Amino acid sequence: MSIESFDNIYLDLSKEHGKCRFAENGLGWKPAGGGDAFTLDSSTINAAHWSRAARGFELKIFQRNSAITQLDGFQQEDLDRLTKIFSNWYGLRIDVKEHSLRGWNWGKAEFNKGELTFSVQNRPAFEIPYSEISNTNLAGRNEIAVEFAVSDGGKTNGHSGSKNKGKKASAGQDQMVEMRFYIPGTTTRKEAEGGDA
Amino acid sequence: DENGVEVKKFKRFESYKRDNQFPSKVKDMGIVLDPKNATIVLPVMGRPVPFHINTIKNASKSDEGEWSFLRINFLSPGQGVGRKDDQPFEDASAHFVRSLTFRSTDGDRYADIANQISNLKRDAVKKEQEKKDMED
């Protein structure tokens, strides 16, 4: 057994699905309709997370250089095979992440390696890879605005920036362009609460 | 609560218990309204993220050239400018998602979503008020 293959997998929220193959020396993804293949050497893989995504299940791969690769479209039962692949070939455990489904907008924003994680009651609610952020600014007192790189999708010409940027925020029909956080500071908390508490 | 002595308390709420409760449409990675569960599911980096209607302040649509924007504002502390901020929070020292803005070339869809969110919000507030009146 030298190759393990999965069909109907999307790379970094690509519109087109493809075939994802794992071997001892790394993994590869090739779009079903033909085109450039993506490969990742096993020595660059640092960690892997498994979670529910919009399209089936997601295998998120963290590279040693903090880059993040998202592969979604997996079936729930693929986890067993992937666990064996990662354990036998890469000496890594796949961390299963159960996301918060509470529907709350409050929790904890944490800056982890490669991504910002917003957690609700110690469960991640969503993550933002730093590679997708184009700008951040202090929009007001205790308010941070995070702007996302969105590709123009052929709507305008030129200046779309780096090739890999803006892929994930503009993957769907609704492109996420900005997220604002309220982050209370210890010195202004009393003020922010309006002395009501 | 007509006498104004009522102390507003935070009431817990929950969108889903299990991920198989998501509407099947979330696979399209677009904004999905789920009135049955009083929830709006927003696509964030390929993940469906539920937000209960109780966390939402309002939604508005704007246009810029060929793009339409949908901005969803959430309730968070420190928003009551010049008036008493009487919104109760479970933990006002937590971090809050304050707003999310999406863009699309389909402006009619955003006008419709903004409208539906307003209706959901209105219904939720009304239901809450009715519940309160029953308790009194």
Side-chain angles (χ1 to χ4, degrees), chain B residues 28-76:
Chain B
D28 299 333
M29 295 194 294
I31 297 163
V32 179
L33 275 87
D34 182 3
K36 206 178 72 192
N37 291 298
T39 292
I40 291 143
V41 186
L42 302 176
V44 179
M45 302 296 164
R47 198 176 302 291
V49 185
F51 289 96
H52 195 277
I53 191 71
N54 289 6
T55 66
I56 289 170
K57 190 181 176 194
N58 55 39
S60 62
K61 179 219 170 204
S62 62
D63 300 294
E64 206 176 290
E66 60 196 314
W67 291 103
S68 286
F69 294 82
L70 181 74
R71 182 178 169 130
I72 299 164
N73 291 308
F74 299 92
L75 292 165
S76 63

mmCIF file of all heavy atoms in Angstrom, chain B residues 28-76:
data_model
loop_
_atom_site.group_PDB
_atom_site.id
_atom_site.type_symbol
_atom_site.label_atom_id
_atom_site.label_comp_id
_atom_site.label_asym_id
_atom_site.label_seq_id
_atom_site.Cartn_x
_atom_site.Cartn_y
_atom_site.Cartn_z
ATOM 1 N N ASP B 28 -23.137 25.346 0.233
ATOM 2 C CA ASP B 28 -22.852 26.320 -0.823
ATOM 3 C C ASP B 28 -21.977 27.475 -0.341
ATOM 4 O O ASP B 28 -21.648 28.370 -1.108
ATOM 5 C CB ASP B 28 -24.160 26.879 -1.394
ATOM 6 C CG ASP B 28 -25.025 25.785 -2.023
ATOM 7 O OD1 ASP B 28 -24.438 24.773 -2.474
ATOM 8 O OD2 ASP B 28 -26.262 25.922 -2.030
ATOM 9 N N MET B 29 -21.646 27.480 0.942
ATOM 10 C CA MET B 29 -20.789 28.500 1.549
ATOM 11 C C MET B 29 -21.333 29.925 1.364
ATOM 12 O O MET B 29 -20.566 30.864 1.122
ATOM 13 C CB MET B 29 -19.356 28.390 1.026
ATOM 14 C CG MET B 29 -18.703 27.077 1.451
ATOM 15 S SD MET B 29 -16.937 27.024 1.246
ATOM 16 C CE MET B 29 -16.771 27.098 -0.519
ATOM 17 N N GLY B 30 -22.660 30.040 1.475
ATOM 18 C CA GLY B 30 -23.287 31.354 1.441
ATOM 19 C C GLY B 30 -23.996 31.613 2.765
ATOM 20 O O GLY B 30 -24.011 30.754 3.648
ATOM 21 N N ILE B 31 -24.589 32.804 2.880
ATOM 22 C CA ILE B 31 -25.366 33.146 4.077
ATOM 23 C C ILE B 31 -26.668 32.347 4.033
ATOM 24 O O ILE B 31 -27.354 32.334 3.015
ATOM 25 C CB ILE B 31 -25.666 34.655 4.095
ATOM 26 C CG1 ILE B 31 -24.347 35.454 4.179
ATOM 27 C CG2 ILE B 31 -26.605 35.027 5.250
ATOM 28 C CD1 ILE B 31 -24.488 36.918 3.810
ATOM 29 N N VAL B 32 -26.982 31.650 5.133
ATOM 30 C CA VAL B 32 -28.201 30.849 5.183
ATOM 31 C C VAL B 32 -29.035 31.258 6.399
ATOM 32 O O VAL B 32 -28.526 31.297 7.520
ATOM 33 C CB VAL B 32 -27.883 29.328 5.268
ATOM 34 C CG1 VAL B 32 -29.164 28.515 5.352
ATOM 35 C CG2 VAL B 32 -27.052 28.882 4.070
ATOM 36 N N LEU B 33 -30.296 31.586 6.157
ATOM 37 C CA LEU B 33 -31.194 31.902 7.264
ATOM 38 C C LEU B 33 -31.928 30.636 7.687
ATOM 39 O O LEU B 33 -32.387 29.878 6.838
ATOM 40 C CB LEU B 33 -32.199 32.981 6.857
ATOM 41 C CG LEU B 33 -31.662 34.404 7.020
ATOM 42 C CD1 LEU B 33 -30.912 34.833 5.787
ATOM 43 C CD2 LEU B 33 -32.774 35.374 7.321
ATOM 44 N N ASP B 34 -32.014 30.437 8.984
ATOM 45 C CA ASP B 34 -32.674 29.259 9.529
ATOM 46 C C ASP B 34 -33.706 29.724 10.572
ATOM 47 O O ASP B 34 -33.446 29.670 11.774
ATOM 48 C CB ASP B 34 -31.620 28.331 10.160
ATOM 49 C CG ASP B 34 -32.220 27.048 10.701
ATOM 50 O OD1 ASP B 34 -33.443 26.837 10.544
ATOM 51 O OD2 ASP B 34 -31.470 26.257 11.296
ATOM 52 N N PRO B 35 -34.868 30.197 10.089
ATOM 53 C CA PRO B 35 -35.880 30.761 11.004
ATOM 54 C C PRO B 35 -36.351 29.756 12.065
ATOM 55 O O PRO B 35 -36.649 30.139 13.188
ATOM 56 C CB PRO B 35 -37.042 31.127 10.069
ATOM 57 C CG PRO B 35 -36.462 31.155 8.698
ATOM 58 C CD PRO B 35 -35.325 30.189 8.704
ATOM 59 N N LYS B 36 -36.395 28.490 11.694
ATOM 60 C CA LYS B 36 -36.862 27.440 12.603
ATOM 61 C C LYS B 36 -36.021 27.419 13.881
ATOM 62 O O LYS B 36 -36.534 27.172 14.968
ATOM 63 C CB LYS B 36 -36.761 26.080 11.891
ATOM 64 C CG LYS B 36 -37.732 25.033 12.398
ATOM 65 C CD LYS B 36 -37.607 23.738 11.625
ATOM 66 C CE LYS B 36 -36.320 23.035 12.003
ATOM 67 N NZ LYS B 36 -35.950 21.919 11.147
ATOM 68 N N ASN B 37 -34.735 27.664 13.730
ATOM 69 C CA ASN B 37 -33.840 27.662 14.890
ATOM 70 C C ASN B 37 -33.405 29.081 15.289
ATOM 71 O O ASN B 37 -32.439 29.236 16.045
ATOM 72 C CB ASN B 37 -32.612 26.796 14.601
ATOM 73 C CG ASN B 37 -32.971 25.329 14.519
ATOM 74 O OD1 ASN B 37 -33.446 24.736 15.490
ATOM 75 N ND2 ASN B 37 -32.795 24.733 13.354
ATOM 76 N N ALA B 38 -34.130 30.106 14.788
ATOM 77 C CA ALA B 38 -33.840 31.507 15.103
ATOM 78 C C ALA B 38 -32.352 31.817 14.924
ATOM 79 O O ALA B 38 -31.718 32.451 15.774
ATOM 80 C CB ALA B 38 -34.306 31.845 16.523
ATOM 81 N N THR B 39 -31.799 31.356 13.815
ATOM 82 C CA THR B 39 -30.349 31.430 13.612
ATOM 83 C C THR B 39 -29.993 31.860 12.189
ATOM 84 O O THR B 39 -30.718 31.560 11.243
ATOM 85 C CB THR B 39 -29.726 30.043 13.921
ATOM 86 O OG1 THR B 39 -29.851 29.792 15.315
ATOM 87 C CG2 THR B 39 -28.276 29.946 13.516
ATOM 88 N N ILE B 40 -28.878 32.572 12.092
ATOM 89 C CA ILE B 40 -28.324 32.931 10.792
ATOM 90 C C ILE B 40 -26.965 32.248 10.703
ATOM 91 O O ILE B 40 -26.147 32.383 11.611
ATOM 92 C CB ILE B 40 -28.198 34.457 10.665
ATOM 93 C CG1 ILE B 40 -29.612 35.050 10.593
ATOM 94 C CG2 ILE B 40 -27.409 34.864 9.436
ATOM 95 C CD1 ILE B 40 -29.729 36.339 11.306
ATOM 96 N N VAL B 41 -26.753 31.479 9.650
ATOM 97 C CA VAL B 41 -25.480 30.771 9.497
ATOM 98 C C VAL B 41 -24.619 31.537 8.499
ATOM 99 O O VAL B 41 -25.029 31.776 7.370
ATOM 100 C CB VAL B 41 -25.696 29.318 9.019
ATOM 101 C CG1 VAL B 41 -24.371 28.563 9.025
ATOM 102 C CG2 VAL B 41 -26.720 28.592 9.892
ATOM 103 N N LEU B 42 -23.437 31.955 8.967
ATOM 104 C CA LEU B 42 -22.556 32.752 8.121
ATOM 105 C C LEU B 42 -21.315 31.959 7.720
ATOM 106 O O LEU B 42 -20.756 31.229 8.534
ATOM 107 C CB LEU B 42 -22.152 34.035 8.859
ATOM 108 C CG LEU B 42 -23.324 34.935 9.296
ATOM 109 C CD1 LEU B 42 -22.809 36.124 10.088
ATOM 110 C CD2 LEU B 42 -24.103 35.411 8.080
ATOM 111 N N PRO B 43 -20.907 32.086 6.458
ATOM 112 C CA PRO B 43 -19.726 31.348 5.999
ATOM 113 C C PRO B 43 -18.441 32.074 6.387
ATOM 114 O O PRO B 43 -18.211 33.210 5.975
ATOM 115 C CB PRO B 43 -19.909 31.328 4.478
ATOM 116 C CG PRO B 43 -20.699 32.554 4.171
ATOM 117 C CD PRO B 43 -21.504 32.913 5.383
ATOM 118 N N VAL B 44 -17.624 31.421 7.209
ATOM 119 C CA VAL B 44 -16.348 32.017 7.611
ATOM 120 C C VAL B 44 -15.232 31.036 7.274
ATOM 121 O O VAL B 44 -15.065 30.017 7.932
ATOM 122 C CB VAL B 44 -16.330 32.354 9.121
ATOM 123 C CG1 VAL B 44 -14.994 32.957 9.522
ATOM 124 C CG2 VAL B 44 -17.463 33.312 9.488
ATOM 125 N N MET B 45 -14.505 31.315 6.241
ATOM 126 C CA MET B 45 -13.369 30.497 5.808
ATOM 127 C C MET B 45 -13.749 29.022 5.633
ATOM 128 O O MET B 45 -13.063 28.128 6.116
ATOM 129 C CB MET B 45 -12.199 30.646 6.798
ATOM 130 C CG MET B 45 -11.711 32.056 6.972
ATOM 131 S SD MET B 45 -11.022 32.710 5.412
ATOM 132 C CE MET B 45 -11.000 34.468 5.756
ATOM 133 N N GLY B 46 -14.880 28.804 4.983
ATOM 134 C CA GLY B 46 -15.292 27.440 4.677
ATOM 135 C C GLY B 46 -16.039 26.730 5.780
ATOM 136 O O GLY B 46 -16.367 25.560 5.649
ATOM 137 N N ARG B 47 -16.309 27.456 6.854
ATOM 138 C CA ARG B 47 -17.010 26.838 7.962
ATOM 139 C C ARG B 47 -18.362 27.514 8.153
ATOM 140 O O ARG B 47 -18.452 28.734 8.079
ATOM 141 C CB ARG B 47 -16.179 27.008 9.246
ATOM 142 C CG ARG B 47 -16.577 26.047 10.370
ATOM 143 C CD ARG B 47 -15.676 26.201 11.563
ATOM 144 N NE ARG B 47 -14.264 25.982 11.257
ATOM 145 C CZ ARG B 47 -13.736 24.803 10.939
ATOM 146 N NH1 ARG B 47 -14.491 23.751 10.870
ATOM 147 N NH2 ARG B 47 -12.454 24.692 10.684
ATOM 148 N N PRO B 48 -19.421 26.730 8.369
ATOM 149 C CA PRO B 48 -20.703 27.357 8.683
ATOM 150 C C PRO B 48 -20.706 27.777 10.148
ATOM 151 O O PRO B 48 -20.468 26.945 11.029
ATOM 152 C CB PRO B 48 -21.715 26.216 8.436
ATOM 153 C CG PRO B 48 -20.936 24.953 8.587
ATOM 154 C CD PRO B 48 -19.479 25.254 8.364
ATOM 155 N N VAL B 49 -20.898 29.067 10.400
ATOM 156 C CA VAL B 49 -20.853 29.559 11.782
ATOM 157 C C VAL B 49 -22.224 30.113 12.168
ATOM 158 O O VAL B 49 -22.690 31.086 11.582
ATOM 159 C CB VAL B 49 -19.768 30.648 11.945
ATOM 160 C CG1 VAL B 49 -19.649 31.077 13.405
ATOM 161 C CG2 VAL B 49 -18.420 30.136 11.445
ATOM 162 N N PRO B 50 -22.895 29.460 13.139
ATOM 163 C CA PRO B 50 -24.217 29.922 13.521
ATOM 164 C C PRO B 50 -24.162 31.152 14.424
ATOM 165 O O PRO B 50 -23.276 31.267 15.276
ATOM 166 C CB PRO B 50 -24.795 28.722 14.296
ATOM 167 C CG PRO B 50 -23.616 28.001 14.844
ATOM 168 C CD PRO B 50 -22.470 28.262 13.896
ATOM 169 N N PHE B 51 -25.085 32.074 14.198
ATOM 170 C CA PHE B 51 -25.277 33.205 15.102
ATOM 171 C C PHE B 51 -26.764 33.271 15.430
ATOM 172 O O PHE B 51 -27.599 33.409 14.526
ATOM 173 C CB PHE B 51 -24.796 34.513 14.469
ATOM 174 C CG PHE B 51 -23.301 34.614 14.340
ATOM 175 C CD1 PHE B 51 -22.670 34.268 13.157
ATOM 176 C CD2 PHE B 51 -22.517 35.015 15.417
ATOM 177 C CE1 PHE B 51 -21.283 34.332 13.035
ATOM 178 C CE2 PHE B 51 -21.134 35.086 15.309
ATOM 179 C CZ PHE B 51 -20.513 34.747 14.114
ATOM 180 N N HIS B 52 -27.073 33.139 16.685
ATOM 181 C CA HIS B 52 -28.475 33.177 17.121
ATOM 182 C C HIS B 52 -29.019 34.587 16.918
ATOM 183 O O HIS B 52 -28.281 35.572 17.077
ATOM 184 C CB HIS B 52 -28.557 32.766 18.595
ATOM 185 C CG HIS B 52 -29.934 32.429 19.033
ATOM 186 N ND1 HIS B 52 -30.841 33.398 19.411
ATOM 187 C CD2 HIS B 52 -30.580 31.238 19.145
ATOM 188 C CE1 HIS B 52 -31.983 32.806 19.739
ATOM 189 N NE2 HIS B 52 -31.851 31.502 19.589
ATOM 190 N N ILE B 53 -30.276 34.685 16.599
ATOM 191 C CA ILE B 53 -30.905 35.993 16.332
ATOM 192 C C ILE B 53 -30.755 36.936 17.546
ATOM 193 O O ILE B 53 -30.664 38.152 17.381
ATOM 194 C CB ILE B 53 -32.397 35.823 15.914
ATOM 195 C CG1 ILE B 53 -32.988 37.139 15.376
ATOM 196 C CG2 ILE B 53 -33.254 35.266 17.048
ATOM 197 C CD1 ILE B 53 -32.492 37.568 14.034
ATOM 198 N N ASN B 54 -30.682 36.353 18.744
ATOM 199 C CA ASN B 54 -30.513 37.168 19.961
ATOM 200 C C ASN B 54 -29.180 37.910 20.006
ATOM 201 O O ASN B 54 -29.023 38.848 20.782
ATOM 202 C CB ASN B 54 -30.618 36.291 21.218
ATOM 203 C CG ASN B 54 -32.041 35.806 21.466
ATOM 204 O OD1 ASN B 54 -32.931 36.037 20.647
ATOM 205 N ND2 ASN B 54 -32.259 35.129 22.580
ATOM 206 N N THR B 55 -28.193 37.471 19.207
ATOM 207 C CA THR B 55 -26.896 38.163 19.207
ATOM 208 C C THR B 55 -26.874 39.302 18.194
ATOM 209 O O THR B 55 -25.946 40.093 18.172
ATOM 210 C CB THR B 55 -25.733 37.200 18.837
ATOM 211 O OG1 THR B 55 -25.879 36.774 17.466
ATOM 212 C CG2 THR B 55 -25.707 35.979 19.751
ATOM 213 N N ILE B 56 -27.905 39.350 17.358
ATOM 214 C CA ILE B 56 -27.889 40.311 16.254
ATOM 215 C C ILE B 56 -28.589 41.625 16.616
ATOM 216 O O ILE B 56 -29.665 41.626 17.210
ATOM 217 C CB ILE B 56 -28.490 39.666 14.981
ATOM 218 C CG1 ILE B 56 -27.487 38.620 14.467
ATOM 219 C CG2 ILE B 56 -28.820 40.699 13.914
ATOM 220 C CD1 ILE B 56 -28.012 37.739 13.375
ATOM 221 N N LYS B 57 -27.915 42.705 16.264
ATOM 222 C CA LYS B 57 -28.468 44.035 16.509
ATOM 223 C C LYS B 57 -29.292 44.463 15.302
ATOM 224 O O LYS B 57 -30.449 44.818 15.414
ATOM 225 C CB LYS B 57 -27.304 45.009 16.740
ATOM 226 C CG LYS B 57 -27.689 46.369 17.239
ATOM 227 C CD LYS B 57 -26.418 47.210 17.383
ATOM 228 C CE LYS B 57 -26.747 48.623 17.790
ATOM 229 N NZ LYS B 57 -25.556 49.491 17.600
ATOM 230 N N ASN B 58 -28.676 44.409 14.135
ATOM 231 C CA ASN B 58 -29.389 44.741 12.893
ATOM 232 C C ASN B 58 -28.562 44.325 11.679
ATOM 233 O O ASN B 58 -27.424 43.888 11.817
ATOM 234 C CB ASN B 58 -29.722 46.240 12.830
ATOM 235 C CG ASN B 58 -28.484 47.106 13.002
ATOM 236 O OD1 ASN B 58 -27.423 46.787 12.487
ATOM 237 N ND2 ASN B 58 -28.614 48.202 13.732
ATOM 238 N N ALA B 59 -29.157 44.464 10.522
ATOM 239 C CA ALA B 59 -28.443 44.173 9.272
ATOM 240 C C ALA B 59 -28.792 45.249 8.263
ATOM 241 O O ALA B 59 -29.933 45.719 8.222
ATOM 242 C CB ALA B 59 -28.844 42.803 8.743
ATOM 243 N N SER B 60 -27.818 45.650 7.484
ATOM 244 C CA SER B 60 -28.106 46.679 6.479
ATOM 245 C C SER B 60 -27.384 46.384 5.177
ATOM 246 O O SER B 60 -26.320 45.776 5.155
ATOM 247 C CB SER B 60 -27.690 48.052 7.012
ATOM 248 O OG SER B 60 -26.303 48.071 7.254
ATOM 249 N N LYS B 61 -28.004 46.840 4.106
ATOM 250 C CA LYS B 61 -27.440 46.635 2.775
ATOM 251 C C LYS B 61 -27.013 47.975 2.193
ATOM 252 O O LYS B 61 -27.703 48.986 2.386
ATOM 253 C CB LYS B 61 -28.512 46.000 1.878
ATOM 254 C CG LYS B 61 -28.076 45.759 0.453
ATOM 255 C CD LYS B 61 -29.212 46.074 -0.509
ATOM 256 C CE LYS B 61 -28.714 46.072 -1.936
ATOM 257 N NZ LYS B 61 -29.559 46.880 -2.803
ATOM 258 N N SER B 62 -25.871 47.979 1.541
ATOM 259 C CA SER B 62 -25.449 49.201 0.845
ATOM 260 C C SER B 62 -24.852 48.805 -0.505
ATOM 261 O O SER B 62 -24.536 47.640 -0.737
ATOM 262 C CB SER B 62 -24.422 49.960 1.684
ATOM 263 O OG SER B 62 -23.271 49.162 1.870
ATOM 264 N N ASP B 63 -24.713 49.784 -1.375
ATOM 265 C CA ASP B 63 -24.193 49.502 -2.714
ATOM 266 C C ASP B 63 -23.000 50.388 -3.025
ATOM 267 O O ASP B 63 -22.926 51.542 -2.592
ATOM 268 C CB ASP B 63 -25.280 49.749 -3.772
ATOM 269 C CG ASP B 63 -26.491 48.864 -3.533
ATOM 270 O OD1 ASP B 63 -26.359 47.652 -3.662
ATOM 271 O OD2 ASP B 63 -27.561 49.418 -3.173
ATOM 272 N N GLU B 64 -22.067 49.815 -3.777
ATOM 273 C CA GLU B 64 -20.899 50.570 -4.204
ATOM 274 C C GLU B 64 -20.507 50.043 -5.570
ATOM 275 O O GLU B 64 -19.991 48.933 -5.675
ATOM 276 C CB GLU B 64 -19.779 50.367 -3.192
ATOM 277 C CG GLU B 64 -18.777 51.497 -3.124
ATOM 278 C CD GLU B 64 -17.758 51.245 -2.016
ATOM 279 O OE1 GLU B 64 -18.147 51.325 -0.834
ATOM 280 O OE2 GLU B 64 -16.607 50.970 -2.351
ATOM 281 N N GLY B 65 -20.802 50.808 -6.600
ATOM 282 C CA GLY B 65 -20.543 50.325 -7.947
ATOM 283 C C GLY B 65 -21.367 49.085 -8.225
ATOM 284 O O GLY B 65 -22.560 49.046 -7.946
ATOM 285 N N GLU B 66 -20.706 48.052 -8.723
ATOM 286 C CA GLU B 66 -21.462 46.831 -9.049
ATOM 287 C C GLU B 66 -21.584 45.896 -7.853
ATOM 288 O O GLU B 66 -22.224 44.851 -7.950
ATOM 289 C CB GLU B 66 -20.778 46.118 -10.216
ATOM 290 C CG GLU B 66 -19.360 45.715 -9.917
ATOM 291 C CD GLU B 66 -18.577 45.358 -11.173
ATOM 292 O OE1 GLU B 66 -19.107 44.621 -12.001
ATOM 293 O OE2 GLU B 66 -17.437 45.838 -11.302
ATOM 294 N N TRP B 67 -20.960 46.265 -6.726
ATOM 295 C CA TRP B 67 -21.011 45.417 -5.541
ATOM 296 C C TRP B 67 -22.092 45.868 -4.570
ATOM 297 O O TRP B 67 -22.315 47.048 -4.386
ATOM 298 C CB TRP B 67 -19.672 45.424 -4.815
ATOM 299 C CG TRP B 67 -18.565 44.751 -5.552
ATOM 300 C CD1 TRP B 67 -17.550 45.365 -6.245
ATOM 301 C CD2 TRP B 67 -18.345 43.344 -5.707
ATOM 302 N NE1 TRP B 67 -16.724 44.416 -6.807
ATOM 303 C CE2 TRP B 67 -17.185 43.181 -6.491
ATOM 304 C CE3 TRP B 67 -19.016 42.208 -5.236
ATOM 305 C CZ2 TRP B 67 -16.681 41.921 -6.825
ATOM 306 C CZ3 TRP B 67 -18.517 40.958 -5.566
ATOM 307 C CH2 TRP B 67 -17.367 40.825 -6.355
ATOM 308 N N SER B 68 -22.723 44.896 -3.953
ATOM 309 C CA SER B 68 -23.614 45.178 -2.840
ATOM 310 C C SER B 68 -22.983 44.617 -1.580
ATOM 311 O O SER B 68 -22.296 43.590 -1.629
ATOM 312 C CB SER B 68 -24.974 44.515 -3.062
ATOM 313 O OG SER B 68 -25.680 45.233 -4.046
ATOM 314 N N PHE B 69 -23.186 45.318 -0.474
ATOM 315 C CA PHE B 69 -22.607 44.903 0.798
ATOM 316 C C PHE B 69 -23.710 44.636 1.811
ATOM 317 O O PHE B 69 -24.705 45.366 1.861
ATOM 318 C CB PHE B 69 -21.677 45.993 1.345
ATOM 319 C CG PHE B 69 -20.465 46.213 0.484
ATOM 320 C CD1 PHE B 69 -20.517 47.017 -0.646
ATOM 321 C CD2 PHE B 69 -19.266 45.591 0.804
ATOM 322 C CE1 PHE B 69 -19.399 47.208 -1.452
ATOM 323 C CE2 PHE B 69 -18.140 45.774 0.007
ATOM 324 C CZ PHE B 69 -18.201 46.586 -1.123
ATOM 325 N N LEU B 70 -23.523 43.586 2.572
ATOM 326 C CA LEU B 70 -24.446 43.271 3.658
ATOM 327 C C LEU B 70 -23.649 43.308 4.941
ATOM 328 O O LEU B 70 -22.690 42.549 5.116
ATOM 329 C CB LEU B 70 -25.075 41.891 3.466
ATOM 330 C CG LEU B 70 -26.074 41.490 4.551
ATOM 331 C CD1 LEU B 70 -27.383 42.258 4.403
ATOM 332 C CD2 LEU B 70 -26.345 39.994 4.531
ATOM 333 N N ARG B 71 -24.026 44.224 5.806
ATOM 334 C CA ARG B 71 -23.325 44.335 7.084
ATOM 335 C C ARG B 71 -24.247 43.871 8.200
ATOM 336 O O ARG B 71 -25.370 44.364 8.343
ATOM 337 C CB ARG B 71 -22.896 45.770 7.326
ATOM 338 C CG ARG B 71 -22.114 45.924 8.626
ATOM 339 C CD ARG B 71 -21.672 47.370 8.809
ATOM 340 N NE ARG B 71 -21.157 47.549 10.158
ATOM 341 C CZ ARG B 71 -19.996 48.126 10.424
ATOM 342 N NH1 ARG B 71 -19.255 48.585 9.457
ATOM 343 N NH2 ARG B 71 -19.604 48.269 11.668
ATOM 344 N N ILE B 72 -23.782 42.901 8.964
ATOM 345 C CA ILE B 72 -24.559 42.386 10.084
ATOM 346 C C ILE B 72 -23.885 42.868 11.367
ATOM 347 O O ILE B 72 -22.702 42.581 11.606
ATOM 348 C CB ILE B 72 -24.643 40.839 10.022
ATOM 349 C CG1 ILE B 72 -25.355 40.431 8.717
ATOM 350 C CG2 ILE B 72 -25.392 40.283 11.235
ATOM 351 C CD1 ILE B 72 -25.174 38.995 8.331
ATOM 352 N N ASN B 73 -24.617 43.643 12.144
ATOM 353 C CA ASN B 73 -24.097 44.156 13.419
ATOM 354 C C ASN B 73 -24.605 43.300 14.562
ATOM 355 O O ASN B 73 -25.794 42.969 14.625
ATOM 356 C CB ASN B 73 -24.531 45.602 13.627
ATOM 357 C CG ASN B 73 -23.859 46.550 12.654
ATOM 358 O OD1 ASN B 73 -22.634 46.557 12.515
ATOM 359 N ND2 ASN B 73 -24.663 47.336 11.947
ATOM 360 N N PHE B 74 -23.696 42.952 15.459
ATOM 361 C CA PHE B 74 -24.053 42.136 16.613
ATOM 362 C C PHE B 74 -24.090 42.994 17.870
ATOM 363 O O PHE B 74 -23.460 44.053 17.928
ATOM 364 C CB PHE B 74 -23.031 41.012 16.798
ATOM 365 C CG PHE B 74 -22.958 40.079 15.632
ATOM 366 C CD1 PHE B 74 -22.046 40.296 14.606
ATOM 367 C CD2 PHE B 74 -23.805 38.983 15.537
ATOM 368 C CE1 PHE B 74 -21.979 39.438 13.514
ATOM 369 C CE2 PHE B 74 -23.745 38.121 14.451
ATOM 370 C CZ PHE B 74 -22.830 38.353 13.436
ATOM 371 N N LEU B 75 -24.815 42.500 18.855
ATOM 372 C CA LEU B 75 -24.859 43.200 20.127
ATOM 373 C C LEU B 75 -23.529 42.990 20.850
ATOM 374 O O LEU B 75 -23.008 41.873 20.884
ATOM 375 C CB LEU B 75 -26.012 42.664 20.984
ATOM 376 C CG LEU B 75 -27.411 42.998 20.454
ATOM 377 C CD1 LEU B 75 -28.455 42.135 21.138
ATOM 378 C CD2 LEU B 75 -27.714 44.482 20.640
ATOM 379 N N SER B 76 -22.993 44.068 21.368
ATOM 380 C CA SER B 76 -21.756 43.985 22.138
ATOM 381 C C SER B 76 -21.743 45.135 23.126
ATOM 382 O O SER B 76 -22.465 46.121 22.936
ATOM 383 C CB SER B 76 -20.536 44.031 21.208
ATOM 384 O OG SER B 76 -20.482 45.249 20.519
#
